[in-house]
Amino acid sequence: MSNAAPTTLTIRQPDDWHLHLRDGEMLKGILPETTRHFARAIIMPNLVPPVLTGADAAAYRDRILAAKPDGSKFQPLMTLYLTEDTDIRDLRAAYEVGLIKAVKLYPAGATTNSASGVKDFTKVKRVLENMAQIGLPLCVHGEVTDPEIDIFDREAAFIDRILDPIRRDVPELKVVMEHITTLVAADYVRTSANLAATITTHHLVINRNHILVGGIKPHYYCLPVAKREEHRLALRRAATSGDASFFLGTDSAPHIDALKEHACGCAGCFTATNTMSILAEVFDQDGALENLERFASLNGPAFYGLPANDTRITLTKGAEVKYPEKIETGAGPVTVFDPAMPLHWSVS
Protein backbone atom coordinates (compact mmCIF):
# COMPACT_ATOMS: atom_id res chain seq x y z
CA MET A 1 0.00 0.00 0.00
CA SER A 2 1.48 3.36 -1.06
CA ASN A 3 1.69 6.36 1.28
CA ALA A 4 2.90 8.67 -1.47
CA ALA A 5 1.63 12.22 -1.37
CA PRO A 6 -1.08 12.99 -3.96
CA THR A 7 -0.10 14.58 -7.24
CA THR A 8 -3.60 15.82 -8.08
CA LEU A 9 -6.18 17.47 -5.87
CA THR A 10 -9.70 18.50 -6.91
CA ILE A 11 -11.50 20.99 -4.69
CA ARG A 12 -14.53 23.23 -4.87
CA GLN A 13 -13.68 26.46 -6.64
CA PRO A 14 -12.21 28.90 -4.11
CA ASP A 15 -13.31 32.41 -3.17
CA ASP A 16 -11.20 35.38 -2.14
CA TRP A 17 -12.61 37.01 1.00
CA HIS A 18 -10.44 40.15 0.78
CA LEU A 19 -9.53 41.62 -2.60
CA HIS A 20 -8.50 45.00 -4.01
CA LEU A 21 -9.48 45.59 -7.63
CA ARG A 22 -8.94 49.36 -7.82
CA ASP A 23 -10.76 51.05 -10.72
CA GLY A 24 -10.41 52.24 -14.27
CA GLU A 25 -7.51 50.88 -16.33
CA MET A 26 -6.04 49.07 -13.32
CA LEU A 27 -9.32 47.20 -12.74
CA LYS A 28 -9.47 46.17 -16.38
CA GLY A 29 -5.89 44.94 -16.33
CA ILE A 30 -5.84 42.91 -13.12
CA LEU A 31 -9.40 41.53 -12.82
CA PRO A 32 -8.66 38.54 -15.12
CA GLU A 33 -5.94 37.44 -12.68
CA THR A 34 -8.66 36.82 -10.07
CA THR A 35 -11.43 35.51 -12.31
CA ARG A 36 -9.13 32.79 -13.67
CA HIS A 37 -9.27 30.82 -10.39
CA PHE A 38 -11.82 32.42 -8.04
CA ALA A 39 -15.61 32.28 -8.24
CA ARG A 40 -16.34 35.19 -5.88
CA ALA A 41 -14.49 37.85 -3.93
CA ILE A 42 -15.21 40.37 -1.21
CA ILE A 43 -14.29 43.67 -2.86
CA MET A 44 -12.59 46.34 -0.78
CA PRO A 45 -14.22 49.80 -0.87
CA ASN A 46 -11.17 52.03 -0.37
CA LEU A 47 -11.28 53.76 -3.73
CA VAL A 48 -10.76 57.49 -4.15
CA PRO A 49 -13.43 58.59 -3.39
CA PRO A 50 -14.46 55.59 -1.24
CA VAL A 51 -17.55 53.40 -1.67
CA LEU A 52 -19.76 54.98 1.00
CA THR A 53 -23.35 54.33 -0.08
CA GLY A 54 -25.49 51.71 -1.72
CA ALA A 55 -25.45 53.76 -4.91
CA ASP A 56 -21.64 53.85 -4.83
CA ALA A 57 -21.50 50.06 -4.37
CA ALA A 58 -23.96 49.43 -7.23
CA ALA A 59 -21.98 51.65 -9.58
CA TYR A 60 -18.67 50.00 -8.65
CA ARG A 61 -20.19 46.52 -9.02
CA ASP A 62 -21.36 47.43 -12.52
CA ARG A 63 -17.86 48.63 -13.48
CA ILE A 64 -16.41 45.34 -12.25
CA LEU A 65 -18.97 43.26 -14.15
CA ALA A 66 -18.26 45.27 -17.30
CA ALA A 67 -14.53 44.51 -16.96
CA LYS A 68 -14.97 40.72 -16.60
CA PRO A 69 -13.45 38.54 -19.32
CA ASP A 70 -15.96 37.13 -21.78
CA GLY A 71 -17.64 34.00 -20.41
CA SER A 72 -16.56 34.60 -16.81
CA LYS A 73 -19.12 33.86 -14.08
CA PHE A 74 -17.15 35.72 -11.40
CA GLN A 75 -19.30 37.41 -8.72
CA PRO A 76 -18.06 40.53 -6.93
CA LEU A 77 -19.35 40.68 -3.35
CA MET A 78 -19.60 44.35 -2.50
CA THR A 79 -18.82 46.19 0.74
CA LEU A 80 -19.33 49.69 2.14
CA TYR A 81 -16.64 51.82 3.70
CA LEU A 82 -17.59 52.62 7.32
CA THR A 83 -17.32 56.25 8.37
CA GLU A 84 -18.59 58.24 11.32
CA ASP A 85 -21.34 59.51 8.99
CA THR A 86 -22.53 56.18 7.55
CA ASP A 87 -26.29 56.31 6.92
CA ILE A 88 -27.93 53.37 8.70
CA ARG A 89 -31.04 53.35 6.48
CA ASP A 90 -28.95 53.29 3.32
CA LEU A 91 -26.75 50.52 4.71
CA ARG A 92 -29.73 48.36 5.69
CA ALA A 93 -31.39 48.89 2.34
CA ALA A 94 -28.22 47.88 0.47
CA TYR A 95 -27.98 44.71 2.55
CA GLU A 96 -31.67 43.80 2.26
CA VAL A 97 -31.55 43.82 -1.55
CA GLY A 98 -28.41 41.67 -1.53
CA LEU A 99 -26.12 44.41 -2.84
CA ILE A 100 -23.55 44.31 -0.02
CA LYS A 101 -22.16 41.39 2.00
CA ALA A 102 -20.06 43.29 4.57
CA VAL A 103 -18.96 46.67 5.86
CA LYS A 104 -15.27 47.58 6.11
CA LEU A 105 -13.74 49.34 9.09
CA TYR A 106 -10.50 51.20 8.49
CA PRO A 107 -9.03 53.11 11.41
CA ALA A 108 -8.26 56.51 9.88
CA GLY A 109 -4.79 56.49 8.35
CA ALA A 110 -4.14 52.77 8.82
CA THR A 111 -3.40 51.87 5.19
CA THR A 112 -3.90 52.82 1.54
CA ASN A 113 -6.79 55.26 1.00
CA SER A 114 -7.95 55.06 4.63
CA ALA A 115 -8.07 58.78 5.38
CA SER A 116 -11.89 58.67 5.55
CA GLY A 117 -11.84 55.94 8.19
CA VAL A 118 -13.04 55.99 11.79
CA LYS A 119 -11.36 58.09 14.47
CA ASP A 120 -14.03 58.09 17.21
CA PHE A 121 -15.46 54.59 17.57
CA THR A 122 -18.32 55.75 19.80
CA LYS A 123 -19.76 57.46 16.72
CA VAL A 124 -20.27 54.16 14.87
CA LYS A 125 -21.82 52.14 17.69
CA ARG A 126 -25.40 52.54 16.40
CA VAL A 127 -24.30 51.39 12.95
CA LEU A 128 -22.64 48.31 14.47
CA GLU A 129 -25.74 47.53 16.53
CA ASN A 130 -27.87 47.66 13.39
CA MET A 131 -25.42 45.42 11.56
CA ALA A 132 -25.63 42.90 14.39
CA GLN A 133 -29.44 42.93 14.17
CA ILE A 134 -29.48 42.06 10.47
CA GLY A 135 -26.46 39.74 10.48
CA LEU A 136 -24.21 41.96 8.34
CA PRO A 137 -20.51 41.20 9.03
CA LEU A 138 -17.92 43.82 9.89
CA CYS A 139 -14.52 43.40 8.26
CA VAL A 140 -11.75 45.16 10.16
CA HIS A 141 -8.29 46.35 9.29
CA GLY A 142 -6.91 45.48 12.69
CA GLU A 143 -4.24 48.06 13.47
CA VAL A 144 -4.15 51.14 15.65
CA THR A 145 -2.62 54.26 14.13
CA ASP A 146 -1.19 55.83 17.30
CA PRO A 147 2.34 56.97 16.31
CA GLU A 148 3.59 55.99 19.75
CA ILE A 149 2.78 52.31 19.06
CA ASP A 150 5.51 50.39 17.24
CA ILE A 151 4.32 49.26 13.81
CA PHE A 152 5.00 45.62 14.74
CA ASP A 153 2.73 45.92 17.81
CA ARG A 154 -0.25 47.68 16.22
CA GLU A 155 -2.33 44.55 15.61
CA ALA A 156 -2.11 43.42 19.25
CA ALA A 157 -2.90 46.95 20.43
CA PHE A 158 -5.94 47.07 18.13
CA ILE A 159 -7.36 43.92 19.74
CA ASP A 160 -6.95 45.33 23.25
CA ARG A 161 -7.98 48.95 22.62
CA ILE A 162 -10.61 48.71 19.90
CA LEU A 163 -11.80 45.27 18.85
CA ASP A 164 -12.35 43.69 22.25
CA PRO A 165 -14.36 46.69 23.53
CA ILE A 166 -16.48 46.69 20.34
CA ARG A 167 -17.23 42.98 20.75
CA ARG A 168 -18.13 43.43 24.43
CA ASP A 169 -20.47 46.31 23.55
CA VAL A 170 -22.06 44.51 20.56
CA PRO A 171 -21.52 40.79 21.22
CA GLU A 172 -23.88 39.63 18.43
CA LEU A 173 -21.84 41.41 15.75
CA LYS A 174 -20.11 39.10 13.28
CA VAL A 175 -16.52 40.25 12.81
CA VAL A 176 -13.81 39.24 10.36
CA MET A 177 -10.28 40.22 11.38
CA GLU A 178 -8.70 40.66 7.99
CA HIS A 179 -5.13 39.74 7.07
CA ILE A 180 -4.03 38.75 10.57
CA THR A 181 -0.27 38.69 11.04
CA THR A 182 0.44 37.55 14.61
CA LEU A 183 0.21 34.64 16.99
CA VAL A 184 -1.78 36.93 19.30
CA ALA A 185 -4.46 37.49 16.66
CA ALA A 186 -4.65 33.81 15.69
CA ASP A 187 -5.22 32.84 19.32
CA TYR A 188 -7.77 35.63 19.83
CA VAL A 189 -9.84 34.61 16.81
CA ARG A 190 -10.51 31.19 18.31
CA THR A 191 -12.41 32.78 21.24
CA SER A 192 -15.85 33.29 19.66
CA ALA A 193 -18.24 31.78 17.12
CA ASN A 194 -18.97 35.31 15.85
CA LEU A 195 -15.31 35.97 15.09
CA ALA A 196 -13.22 34.79 12.15
CA ALA A 197 -10.06 35.83 10.32
CA THR A 198 -8.71 35.93 6.83
CA ILE A 199 -5.09 35.02 6.22
CA THR A 200 -3.22 36.22 3.15
CA THR A 201 -1.08 34.13 0.87
CA HIS A 202 1.99 36.29 1.36
CA HIS A 203 1.88 36.24 5.15
CA LEU A 204 2.13 32.44 5.00
CA VAL A 205 5.35 32.77 3.01
CA ILE A 206 7.33 35.83 4.12
CA ASN A 207 8.49 37.29 7.40
CA ARG A 208 10.01 40.70 8.02
CA ASN A 209 13.47 39.51 6.99
CA HIS A 210 12.22 39.14 3.43
CA ILE A 211 11.48 42.87 3.37
CA LEU A 212 14.72 44.11 4.90
CA VAL A 213 17.61 41.65 4.62
CA GLY A 214 20.01 42.35 1.76
CA GLY A 215 18.29 45.62 0.89
CA ILE A 216 14.73 46.90 1.02
CA LYS A 217 12.32 44.78 -1.07
CA PRO A 218 9.37 47.08 -1.85
CA HIS A 219 7.24 44.35 -3.40
CA TYR A 220 7.19 42.52 -0.05
CA TYR A 221 6.01 45.63 1.81
CA CYS A 222 2.38 45.46 2.88
CA LEU A 223 0.16 46.60 5.74
CA PRO A 224 -0.10 45.03 8.21
CA VAL A 225 3.63 44.53 7.74
CA ALA A 226 5.02 40.98 7.89
CA LYS A 227 6.23 40.06 11.37
CA ARG A 228 8.77 37.70 12.96
CA GLU A 229 9.14 34.08 11.87
CA GLU A 230 7.27 32.80 14.94
CA HIS A 231 4.19 34.69 13.76
CA ARG A 232 4.44 33.40 10.20
CA LEU A 233 4.58 29.85 11.53
CA ALA A 234 1.54 30.52 13.75
CA LEU A 235 -0.39 31.69 10.69
CA ARG A 236 0.59 28.54 8.79
CA ARG A 237 -0.61 26.38 11.66
CA ALA A 238 -3.93 28.25 11.72
CA ALA A 239 -4.47 28.14 7.95
CA THR A 240 -3.54 24.49 7.50
CA SER A 241 -5.42 23.26 10.58
CA GLY A 242 -8.84 23.11 8.96
CA ASP A 243 -10.24 25.29 11.78
CA ALA A 244 -13.42 26.96 10.48
CA SER A 245 -12.35 30.28 12.03
CA PHE A 246 -9.74 30.84 9.32
CA PHE A 247 -10.16 31.29 5.58
CA LEU A 248 -8.45 32.80 2.57
CA GLY A 249 -8.41 36.52 1.94
CA THR A 250 -5.51 37.34 -0.32
CA ASP A 251 -5.52 41.10 0.24
CA SER A 252 -4.09 41.12 -3.28
CA ALA A 253 -3.36 44.81 -3.70
CA PRO A 254 -2.03 46.06 -7.03
CA HIS A 255 0.10 49.17 -7.36
CA ILE A 256 2.04 50.10 -10.46
CA ASP A 257 5.78 49.58 -10.10
CA ALA A 258 6.49 53.31 -10.13
CA LEU A 259 4.49 53.68 -6.90
CA LYS A 260 6.00 50.61 -5.21
CA GLU A 261 9.61 51.39 -6.15
CA HIS A 262 9.44 54.87 -4.70
CA ALA A 263 10.84 56.95 -1.85
CA CYS A 264 7.51 56.42 -0.07
CA GLY A 265 6.42 53.14 -1.63
CA CYS A 266 2.78 52.02 -1.46
CA ALA A 267 1.79 49.07 0.74
CA GLY A 268 0.46 45.94 -0.90
CA CYS A 269 1.43 42.58 -2.43
CA PHE A 270 -0.17 41.50 -5.70
CA THR A 271 -0.88 37.77 -5.33
CA ALA A 272 -4.01 37.13 -7.40
CA THR A 273 -2.06 35.50 -10.22
CA ASN A 274 -0.28 32.73 -8.32
CA THR A 275 -2.12 32.37 -5.00
CA MET A 276 -3.54 28.90 -5.56
CA SER A 277 -0.17 27.47 -6.62
CA ILE A 278 1.48 29.04 -3.57
CA LEU A 279 -1.21 27.73 -1.21
CA ALA A 280 -0.96 24.20 -2.58
CA GLU A 281 2.82 24.35 -2.10
CA VAL A 282 2.42 25.56 1.50
CA PHE A 283 -0.21 22.98 2.43
CA ASP A 284 1.83 20.25 0.73
CA GLN A 285 4.96 21.27 2.65
CA ASP A 286 2.99 21.11 5.90
CA GLY A 287 1.35 17.76 5.12
CA ALA A 288 -2.12 19.31 5.13
CA LEU A 289 -3.41 19.13 1.55
CA GLU A 290 -6.63 17.58 2.87
CA ASN A 291 -7.41 20.94 4.54
CA LEU A 292 -6.77 23.20 1.56
CA GLU A 293 -10.40 23.04 0.41
CA ARG A 294 -11.63 24.07 3.84
CA PHE A 295 -9.34 27.09 3.95
CA ALA A 296 -9.84 28.24 0.37
CA SER A 297 -13.36 27.09 -0.51
CA LEU A 298 -15.54 26.14 2.48
CA ASN A 299 -14.84 28.10 5.66
CA GLY A 300 -15.45 31.53 4.13
CA PRO A 301 -18.87 30.80 2.63
CA ALA A 302 -19.94 29.13 5.88
CA PHE A 303 -19.10 32.21 7.94
CA TYR A 304 -20.81 34.58 5.48
CA GLY A 305 -23.90 32.35 5.25
CA LEU A 306 -23.41 31.56 1.56
CA PRO A 307 -23.34 28.21 -0.24
CA ALA A 308 -20.02 26.74 -1.29
CA ASN A 309 -19.37 26.79 -5.03
CA ASP A 310 -20.58 23.85 -7.11
CA THR A 311 -17.76 24.27 -9.62
CA ARG A 312 -14.36 22.64 -9.08
CA ILE A 313 -10.72 23.27 -9.86
CA THR A 314 -7.95 20.69 -10.06
CA LEU A 315 -4.42 21.27 -8.82
CA THR A 316 -1.69 19.08 -10.30
CA LYS A 317 1.83 18.62 -8.96
CA GLY A 318 4.61 18.32 -11.50
CA ALA A 319 7.40 20.34 -13.05
CA GLU A 320 8.09 23.83 -11.73
CA VAL A 321 5.31 26.27 -12.64
CA LYS A 322 6.31 29.67 -14.00
CA TYR A 323 4.17 32.80 -13.71
CA PRO A 324 4.72 36.17 -15.38
CA GLU A 325 6.92 38.56 -13.46
CA LYS A 326 4.60 41.46 -14.23
CA ILE A 327 1.03 42.10 -15.38
CA GLU A 328 0.82 44.88 -17.90
CA THR A 329 -2.18 47.17 -17.38
CA GLY A 330 -3.35 50.38 -18.96
CA ALA A 331 -2.26 52.10 -15.74
CA GLY A 332 1.26 50.64 -15.84
CA PRO A 333 3.07 47.39 -14.94
CA VAL A 334 2.19 45.52 -11.71
CA THR A 335 4.74 43.10 -10.24
CA VAL A 336 3.42 39.66 -9.31
CA PHE A 337 4.36 38.47 -5.81
CA ASP A 338 7.50 36.33 -5.77
CA PRO A 339 7.09 33.53 -3.17
CA ALA A 340 10.89 33.04 -3.01
CA MET A 341 10.48 29.31 -3.57
CA PRO A 342 9.77 27.09 -6.58
CA LEU A 343 6.12 26.24 -7.22
CA HIS A 344 5.11 22.79 -8.46
CA TRP A 345 1.31 22.94 -8.37
CA SER A 346 -0.57 24.14 -11.46
CA VAL A 347 -4.28 24.94 -11.62
CA SER A 348 -6.88 23.80 -14.14
Side-chain angles (χ1 to χ4, degrees):
M1 182 175 179
S2 173
N3 291 319
T7 56
T8 62
L9 180 67
T10 298
I11 64 174
R12 288 179 183 264
Q13 190 172 6
D15 301 305
D16 187 345
W17 298 96
H18 182 151
L19 178 66
H20 296 270
L21 288 177
R22 311 305 188 202
D23 213 344
E25 292 302 311
M26 178 67 83
L27 165 64
K28 295 174 185 177
I30 59 97
L31 180 59
E33 302 304 301
T34 287
T35 62
R36 188 175 297 119
H37 296 156
F38 295 94
R40 300 171 291 198
I42 286 280
I43 308 301
M44 291 296 102
N46 59 331
L47 304 181
V48 180
V51 179
L52 300 177
T53 67
D56 295 338
Y60 187 27
R61 176 201 58 195
D62 291 347
R63 296 196 297 276
I64 295 169
L65 293 175
K68 285 196 311 181
D70 291 343
S72 170
K73 296 181 180 179
F74 175 76
Q75 293 179 282
L77 306 177
M78 308 310 294
T79 63
L80 295 185
Y81 188 122
L82 181 65
T83 74
E84 294 170 12
D85 299 313
T86 292
D87 186 303
I88 293 173
R89 289 173 296 181
D90 179 73
L91 178 150
R92 291 184 73 122
Y95 177 69
E96 288 165 1
V97 298
L99 175 60
I100 62 170
K101 298 300 181 186
V103 172
K104 181 63 182 277
L105 165 61
Y106 291 102
T111 189
T112 302
N113 300 340
S114 61
S116 301
V118 177
K119 295 179 181 178
D120 183 350
F121 289 88
T122 64
K123 293 182 178 179
V124 296
K125 184 176 179 182
R126 287 192 61 242
V127 176
L128 301 181
E129 290 171 339
N130 273 265
M131 289 172 58
Q133 289 173 6
I134 61 178
L136 179 59
L138 177 72
C139 298
V140 300
H141 181 110
E143 293 185 287
V144 298
T145 56
D146 185 338
E148 295 182 359
I149 302 297
D150 188 282
I151 192 169
F152 293 103
D153 298 328
R154 290 181 176 183
E155 185 171 272
F158 178 86
I159 293 171
D160 290 339
R161 293 184 177 188
I162 298 172
L163 183 57
D164 208 49
I166 284 175
R167 294 183 58 240
R168 288 197 302 269
D169 285 347
V170 192
E172 300 84 9
L173 181 67
K174 296 182 72 172
V175 177
V176 180
M177 284 193 72
E178 295 192 313
H179 48 46
I180 62 169
T181 59
T182 61
L183 172 62
V184 171
D187 285 344
Y188 181 75
V189 166
R190 297 183 179 98
T191 64
S192 171
N194 283 340
L195 183 62
T198 57
I199 300 176
T200 75
T201 315
H202 55 280
H203 284 121
L204 295 174
V205 175
I206 64 171
N207 60 34
R208 64 189 190 179
N209 281 358
H210 289 83
I211 307 172
L212 299 170
V213 171
I216 295 173
K217 312 296 194 308
H219 294 287
Y220 287 148
Y221 171 60
C222 58
L223 288 173
V225 69
K227 307 299 194 297
R228 292 180 181 272
E229 177 68 356
E230 64 181 310
H231 298 295
R232 184 186 74 89
L233 294 177
L235 297 181
R236 281 178 72 129
R237 289 192 298 271
T240 61
S241 68
D243 188 323
S245 301
F246 303 102
F247 41 88
L248 174 64
T250 66
D251 192 20
S252 183
H255 295 282
I256 61 171
D257 288 350
L259 295 180
K260 289 290 290 179
E261 301 164 1
H262 190 269
C264 186
C266 293
C269 296
F270 181 68
T271 56
T273 302
N274 54 3
T275 273
M276 290 311 300
S277 287
I278 297 172
L279 288 180
E281 200 75 36
V282 166
F283 278 67
D284 191 10
Q285 290 172 359
D286 289 7
L289 281 170
E290 70 277 6
N291 289 332
L292 178 57
E293 184 177 51
R294 296 180 191 176
F295 179 71
S297 311
L298 300 179
N299 293 348
F303 187 83
Y304 276 89
L306 297 171
N309 298 308
D310 291 330
T311 47
R312 263 80 174 171
I313 65 168
T314 295
L315 298 118
T316 302
K317 186 177 184 180
E320 185 175 349
V321 183
K322 298 292 186 180
Y323 287 94
E325 180 183 346
K326 300 179 187 294
I327 303 299
E328 297 294 338
T329 78
V334 176
T335 292
V336 176
F337 176 76
D338 177 3
M341 63 180 176
L343 302 176
H344 301 94
W345 289 86
S346 60
V347 187
S348 60

